[in-house]
Amino acid sequence: MIAVMLMSVALIAGLCVLAYTLAVYALPFMLAVEAARLAYATGSGLIGAGLVGLVAGAAAYGLLVFVFASLRSPVLRLIVALIFAAPAAMAGYALVHGITREAVPSEIWRQIFCIVGGGFVGVSALLRLAGGAFTRTD
């Protein structure tokens, strides 16, 4: 039992590093998946839904990066970084919940681990994205 818990902690740490690395792409990926699901539900087929999802994800990423790069106000840049980091926090929560589902028998401790893991991924994504928002360019 202890070996399973230690492996779970190591796996959670590794997946949180992966989630931190991919945090910038969480929002465009979620938008792409939802656009593809909508296109598939309206009868576009698998190839059409895949193309719609790919275009929607690329457009969302390009638009948000353009907005983040063109804004000069640190507050507005922080808001855009929060828009990027919120789906990363949800993905971190779901990631930890999926890993600890079988390893942690107590529901209370599982929720605590999930909230802490989601918080770490969300805050680290926010710091990664908004790190340059508060530097002076004078």
Side-chain angles (χ1 to χ4, degrees), residues 77-136:
R77 290 177 66 123
L78 179 64
I79 291 171
V80 173
L82 281 171
I83 291 171
F84 266 102
M90 291 188 301
Y93 177 89
L95 183 82
V96 174
H97 189 272
I99 293 170
T100 60
R101 183 179 313 146
E102 300 297 327
V104 180
S106 171
E107 180 65 29
I108 293 171
W109 280 105
R110 186 178 318 128
Q111 289 299 320
I112 290 171
F113 288 144
C114 292
I115 291 170
V116 168
F120 278 137
V121 171
V123 168
S124 65
L126 180 65
L127 291 177
R128 181 177 174 206
L129 291 167
F134 300 107
T135 58
R136 293 184 60 109

Side-chain angles (χ1 to χ4, degrees), residues 6-106:
L6 291 175
M7 288 185 343
S8 176
V9 168
L11 186 60
I12 289 169
L15 288 175
C16 283
V17 168
L18 180 66
Y20 168 74
T21 304
L22 299 175
V24 176
Y25 309 109
L27 178 64
F29 179 74
M30 290 175 79
L31 291 174
V33 168
E34 289 303 315
R37 286 180 60 197
L38 178 67
Y40 186 74
T42 58
S44 68
L46 286 176
I47 295 173
L51 289 174
V52 167
L54 183 66
V55 169
Y61 180 73
L63 179 67
L64 289 173
V65 166
F66 173 75
V67 168
F68 189 77
S70 64
L71 291 175
R72 297 288 176 216
S73 171
V75 175
L76 293 176
R77 290 177 66 123
L78 179 64
I79 291 171
V80 173
L82 281 171
I83 291 171
F84 266 102
M90 291 188 301
Y93 177 89
L95 183 82
V96 174
H97 189 272
I99 293 170
T100 60
R101 183 179 313 146
E102 300 297 327
V104 180
S106 171

